[in-house]
Structures are given as C-alpha cells and as structure tokens.
Amino acid sequence: MAATGNAEETQLQEMEEEAGMEREMDSDEEEGMGIDNSDDEEDDSSEDDKENEAEIQRLEEQLSINAFDYNCHVDLIKLLRQEGELPPLRKARQKMSELFPLTEEIWLDWLKDEIRLTEEEQNREKVYKLFEMAVKDYICPEIWLEYAQYSIGGMGLPGGMEKVRSIFERALTAVGLHMTKGATLWEAYREFENVILATLERIHTLFRRQLAIPLMDMEGTYAEYEEWSDQGVSDTVSQKYKRALQQMEKSKPYEETLMAAEPPKLAEYQTYIDYEQKEGDPARIQIIFERALAENCLVPDMWAKYTKYLDRQLKIRDLVLSSHDRAVRNCPWTMGLWKNYLLALERHGADHHTISDVFEKALNAGFIQATDYVNIWEAYLDYLRRRVDFKSSRELEELRAAFTRSLDYMKQDVEERFSESGDPSCTIMQVWAKIEALHCKNIQKARELWDSIMTKGNAKFANMWLEYYNLERSYGDALHCRKALHRAVQCTSDYPEHVCEVLLTFERVEGSLEDWDAAVQKTETRLNRVNEQRAKVAEKEAHLVRQEEEKTEQRRRAKADKKNQKKGQKGSRPGEKRKAEDEDNENEWGEELGKGRHQESGKGRRQESGKGRRQESGKGRRQESGKGRRQQMAPATVRKTQEDNPEQRKDDCSVFISNLAFSMEDPEKRLKELFEPCGPVQSVRPVYAAKGFRGYCYVQFEGKTSVPEALKMDRREVDGRPMFVSPCVDKNKNPDFKVFKYNTNLEKHKIFISGLPFSCTKEQLEELCKDQGTIKDIRLVTNRSGKPKGLAYVEFEDEAQASQAVLKLDGTVLQEHTLAVAISNPPRRNAADKPDFSRPMGAMMPRAMVYGSRGKGRTQLSLIPRSLHRQTGSESKAENGTAPKPTGGASGDAGFEAQAKPMSNSDFAKMLLRKFQTF
C-alpha cells in the first residue's frame, strides 16, 4: 500500500510539473502580446503610444454613449491587451461580459492571461469562477479542454482528484457528442485516468461509453480498444459500436458539407438541424443547435428556433432559462426573444422580482420599431393580469398602475423616438377596458377608456365602434348600446353600410317603433350623404383622368408636329424626298409582310403559317432594295400547326389552352396526356412560331360532355406555371362572353386580403380565417408565371361571417406582414378599357393607342399601310376561338371584298402589292 501511495504521489508531481511547463511555454509564446513588460514594448515609438492612448480614450467615450456597441468593446480590449495594462483590460473584459456573451477567442485570451497572473493556490478559485462563466456562454470544446487541463494542476489539493473527474464528466455531457471535436475530450479523460494508474475498469468504461457514441474517426478508437484490452471486445460493445458507426455514416455527409462550406454556414446548419430533428435524439439536436449558434450567434431566428425547441420538447428549467438569457444577450434588439423569455420565466415559476427585472432590461434594449414596445408591454401586462386574484386590491392596483405607466411610456418615450405611438388601434387600452368590465365589474371605467380611444382618431373606423358595441352588449345595457350605434352611424367613414345594418338589426330585437323609425331615418340620411360624397369623389377622379388624358394627347400632338417639321426640313433638298419616301415604304411593307398572319385559315385562329415571314431583321430590310425587296416578301419557313380540315373543327367540343411554358417538350403529346382523363381527345393543335412553341393551343374532344371537365382544370399548375383553360368561343359572335370566370362586382360574403407574404399557403390562410366562420373557398392570386402577388380572396358561407372576418383580421400581422382585409369589391373598369367587338380597333381608341397602352414608342415604325388605316368595317379578331369571316369595308375596296372568303398568304401579299402600286 505504501508503494502504491508513493507511486501516486510521484505521478501527481509529474503531472503538476507538466502543467507548469505548459504554462511556461504559453508564457514564452505570448511574451510579445504586452501582458508582461517585454522589450518589444520598450521599442515602440512614443508616437504609436500616443496614438493608442488617443484611440483608447475615443473608444471609452464612445462606449459611455452607447454601451451596446459590440465592435467598440472588441477593439478596446485588443488595444488594452497590446498596451499591457492589466487593470483596465480586466475591467473592459468584465464590462463586455456583463452585456454580451464572449466569443471563444476572447475567453481563451482572458483565461490564459489570468492563469499566468494567478500562480498561487489561493487564487485558483478565481480562475475557476472565470471558467464557469466561460462555459455558460457557448458550447466550446476548446474551453472545456482548457478547463480540464487547468484543473489537473490542482489535483494535489484536497478534493482535487474528484474535482478533475467532475469537470471531465461535465465536459463530456456538454460536448462529448460533438461529432468532430468530442473525441479529443474522451481521449484526454482516458489519458488522465491512465496516467494516475486508475483501475482498469474505469478505462474500460470510458472506452465503452465512447464507442457507443457516433464520432468521426471512431474506427481508430475501436482499433485502439482492441489492442489495449487483454480480454478482447465483448459482443455488447461491438453491437453498440456498429450502431453508432451506422449513425455516424448517416451524419457524415452533413459534417463534410459543414467542413467544405464558408462561414457562417447558416443554410448548412439548418439542413443538419432538420435531419437531427427527424431522427429525434434530444441530446444530438441540442448539440447541433449549440454548434450552429456558436458560429451564428447574432442570428435571431436561430435563437428563436432553439428556445422554441427547448420550451416545447426538453422543458428542463435551468437549460431553458439559460438559453433564453443567452439569446437576449446576443440579440438584445429582437423583441420576440424578450417576449419568449418572459413567458419562459413565468412558465418555470420564476419570482415576480426576476420577471420584472427582465422586463425592465427589455425596455432598455433599444428596439428598432415602435410596435416592438407595444408587444413587449402587452406580454408584461398579460403576465400581471394572470397573477391578479381580483379579490386582492394590492395586485389589482399594481396591474392598473402598470397599464397607466404603459400608456405614459407610449406617449412620451416611444412617440418622441419614432414620431408614432406604435399602437394606433389602442389595443392596450382595449384590453384594459375588457378587464375592467369583465373581472372588475367596472363598466363606467371601461366606458371612459373607450371614450379616450375614440378621441385618438379611431371614431371613423367601423370595427372600433363595433368592438365598443360588443363590450356594451356583453357587460352594459341596451341604452348605451343604442347610443354607441347612433354615434357609430354618425362618425364611421370606412364601412357605414355595415354599421347601419347593425343598428337596424339591434332595433329589430330590442327597440320600440319610435326607436325603429329614428334608426331608419338616421341611417337613410347618413347613407344619402355618404353616396353624395362618393359621387363627388368619383366625379373629381374622373375629371383628373380627363385632364391627364388631355395632357397626354397634347404631348402626342406636339411630338407628332415636331416629327413632321423635321421630316419637312429633311425632304426640302431636291431629289431626296422621293428617295426617302421609297425607303419608308420599303421598310413599312417589308416589316408588315414579314410579320405574317397569325390566324388559322378559314376561321381566323391565330397561328404561324408555313409561309410566315419573321426571319429577316429590320436592319437587313432597310439595306435591301429592288430585287431584295421582292426577296423580303418571299415567305420564310416556320413550323405549321396541325392542318386539320376546317370543317372537322368543332368549337363547342374544344377548349383554348394558354399561358403554357415555351420550353414545353412535345406539347401535343403532353397536353393529350393531361386532358385524357376529361374524355377522349380527338386532336391537339399547338401553335408554333419560328423559334418554337408559342405557349397556347386548342384541344378538341370527341364529345361536348368532356368540355366542362376540361374547364375544371383551369389554373392547374403545369411546369411551374398556371395553365389557363377557357371555352373556345368566337367573341365577335358572342360579344358578351367573358373569359374571366370570377365575379367583378361587390360580393358581401367574400373578403379580399392584401399584404400577404409571398410564402403564404392556402393552409396557412385557412388556419388564419377558420375561426371567423365556415370557409367555402380560398383563392391565392398569382401572375401568369405562377408567382404569388400577395393577394387572396376568401369566400365565407354568409355575409355576417365575412363582415366578422374583416373586423377581426384587418391589421393582423402574419409573418411580419401587416394584412389589409376588406369586403370583396373590385374597382370598375373604365369604359375605355372594355373592348367593343362591334367596332373596329381604329374606332375604339385614338390612333396612338392602337399600339399599346402607352402609345406608339419612340423607336416604333408604322407597319400598317394608310389604306388599311382608312377602313371602317369591323375587323376580325378572335379570342380563344375562331374569328368570323370578314365583311366588306365601308370603302368598298375590291381587296377587302375579296376577304369575304378565306385568303391564302399569297393572295394577301398580292392584295398588299396592288395597294402599294397605287401610291
């Protein structure tokens, strides 16, 4: 026994000497850092010293103004460390650690400096406390390893051996699952036990524990165990090792992705976290979250996800509260983290003083939006309300005092900083009024609060009056309900019809005949006044539109006069006018003929014929003349649509498909497969251009019964785009037919929502609206490419549910987007915007508007002959179907009379040439 004791003492002395040598080596490596008064410090010039002192003074002044300047703290610590001033350096580090968690690099520098300066045994406890602070900030294997190695130096002290083992065990619990760095701590622990000649069973146990955990390069550990163990590896250990190895192989791709990625690796960590959450091991989920936060400590969303997981899954008090504390110290500007911290403190039974202190810190955190202060006050007031007994006047008075303070804070601090209160709807006062009416039975105080709410600019909103009315209906009397509704009818400007309807409904149930007559008279007077005001506004808007149109017409005329004046100056030279006209005519006719006709022969459907002419560039047309002009008019070769016999085409058995992707491969086969479930498909006629598929086609079925089924596929997503399916109807024969299938009038049972995040889905919208009533349909509005516009229509079972949804959901925040909700009432289209198929295009709008909504562009040429501009007959135009046979124009031109029957491309070209020769 004496020999064993002597051997242990010898081992202890050797390990202490090794630890002392390591500290000396660290000291030698960092002599130039300025901690000791080295020769390098004496060699610095006095000018550099003055510059450093001036910079240190500037940084300290800046921190006195804004203590939350993280980078300023870091720069100050670096300068003080270079200067070698220990007391100011220690003070700067302590001040920063009180406000922010420190990074691994800052902690290791601080710990090494303190270790060198506290060699005496009585000061080891001070370093231990510093290590305890360090390991709480982040999960860092390097800090835990340094902690364990430092504790080895004091294992000769009473209880030193147990302290070392305790620190090693805590380190394994914290970072032993770290897949890439955890093995280092396991090896250090085994080496320590091996050096002090611990029992073989201890080392066996460490090997078995490590081999049951998936770590990188665990094959080497297994081989080492096989070589070290005299008894070999048991079957139980082998089975656990194989399971851990399989799990390691699954996680290895994620680790390799992390190693190859560039910082901050946020996306890679998120993918890894999603994988671990699917696997469901809480310890591994926690360690991967901690690793992600160590490299992304300033990302509030990552902290929010981590604390949410801890709140809902682990629910371990110390772990949950420490994580919330670290979250708000890293991202103090994020209101949501403070709000969740308050809830976690209340959930885990923290005392009132602690919760109040956290709330006060939140108020001083410097939020970036006025609404953040409203939300944090609401969270704190909710907590205070939940702790009130309502039988104890002390707690109730504390709640009332908090409400009063919140209103003063919004008015003074928040409004001065943001120029707005952040609470335009007075939600805090509304909650206070409900508490007074419901819990305190003090309806008079609730009415005083609502009077104050209405004086803050809310009297014009119907939803505010209806909230007040509902309060009176629940806790007041009929007299005050009637007074509230009469005031609402008089003051409401956004939805006066709805308020009038509520008043009349109330009188039907509660009022006398005199009350009913008074209500009818008041509502009629109010609605008449509203309609007059709306008419005046509409007239004013129409006048502004007319003025804008007149200004546009004046600008167009001035531009045309200027252009004509330039042409007159250019053509004044002899011999050049005719040449210029010839060139203009050549360009005009060349481009017009090069466009080709995009209608199907016989019935005017648009298509690219086999004789289309789009291959020649505009520049080439202008350079060619004489013989080249005739070559321009020669037909180019493009792909034709399927040349069916026109008599075999049946519009009543067909549908028109549009908005398809130009890149669709073999559209004929693809669309046939898509529409075969609707019924037997007779033919598919895709439309092609010189460059390929045009994105629309016609699908003809064998029978009429298939068409309704095909129309149900309207707006189905195909290749990432909504496919439009509409009936194949000739609009010249059916001018009242509308392709747009949705109602454009007022629909009181349907609401319109704007301001939605683009990522919003139907499921999320249904979850938001389902509490307001029975939902019949939800439509998210997208553009032609299938991308959302942030708009939606939600159809309810009746008008009352839709009105309730408007009142409750308007102003709701969804994914940091404030929603605007109203009854569906699309604006009416102007008469100028509605196409009139009974008139020619030239008669529908000014000539400049033929070319587009913004007139003829600066670089556009007139590509239509003047004789065609003079036509007055109806122009054939088809939409989603065949066009009628053209009727003769009013001019009686023979060329147009010939259009009474189907014309080939060559006939069309000859007709245009005859017109050209007349010039």
Side-chain angles (χ1 to χ4, degrees), residues 2 139 247 413 796 910:
I139 301 295
Q247 190 172 357
D413 298 66
F796 287 92
K910 290 176 182 179

Short mmCIF file of all heavy atoms in Angstrom, two decimals, residues 2 139 247 413 796 910:
data_model
loop_
_atom_site.label_atom_id
_atom_site.label_comp_id
_atom_site.label_asym_id
_atom_site.label_seq_id
_atom_site.Cartn_x
_atom_site.Cartn_y
_atom_site.Cartn_z
N ALA A 2 2.00 1.24 0.75
CA ALA A 2 2.91 2.38 0.80
C ALA A 2 3.54 2.61 -0.55
O ALA A 2 3.70 3.74 -1.01
CB ALA A 2 3.98 2.15 1.87
N ILE A 139 -21.16 26.54 -26.16
CA ILE A 139 -20.63 25.18 -26.04
C ILE A 139 -19.35 25.11 -26.88
O ILE A 139 -19.41 24.95 -28.10
CB ILE A 139 -21.66 24.14 -26.52
CG1 ILE A 139 -22.94 24.25 -25.70
CG2 ILE A 139 -21.08 22.74 -26.45
CD1 ILE A 139 -22.79 23.91 -24.25
N GLN A 247 -24.86 5.22 -37.52
CA GLN A 247 -25.39 6.57 -37.33
C GLN A 247 -24.37 7.62 -37.76
O GLN A 247 -24.73 8.65 -38.35
CB GLN A 247 -25.76 6.78 -35.86
CG GLN A 247 -26.54 8.06 -35.60
CD GLN A 247 -27.05 8.15 -34.18
OE1 GLN A 247 -26.88 7.22 -33.40
NE2 GLN A 247 -27.68 9.26 -33.84
N ASP A 413 -42.00 58.31 -24.33
CA ASP A 413 -40.75 57.75 -24.84
C ASP A 413 -40.86 57.30 -26.29
O ASP A 413 -40.02 57.66 -27.13
CB ASP A 413 -40.30 56.57 -23.97
CG ASP A 413 -40.02 56.99 -22.53
OD1 ASP A 413 -40.99 57.39 -21.86
OD2 ASP A 413 -38.87 56.93 -22.09
N PHE A 796 -66.77 33.09 -47.60
CA PHE A 796 -67.42 32.53 -46.43
C PHE A 796 -68.85 32.10 -46.78
O PHE A 796 -69.34 32.34 -47.89
CB PHE A 796 -67.45 33.55 -45.29
CG PHE A 796 -66.12 33.78 -44.66
CD1 PHE A 796 -65.28 34.78 -45.11
CD2 PHE A 796 -65.69 32.98 -43.62
CE1 PHE A 796 -64.04 34.99 -44.53
CE2 PHE A 796 -64.45 33.16 -43.03
CZ PHE A 796 -63.63 34.18 -43.49
N LYS A 910 -50.47 39.59 -102.70
CA LYS A 910 -50.83 40.25 -103.95
C LYS A 910 -51.71 41.46 -103.68
O LYS A 910 -51.56 42.52 -104.31
CB LYS A 910 -51.55 39.26 -104.86
CG LYS A 910 -50.66 38.15 -105.42
CD LYS A 910 -51.47 37.16 -106.23
CE LYS A 910 -50.58 36.02 -106.75
NZ LYS A 910 -51.36 35.02 -107.52
#
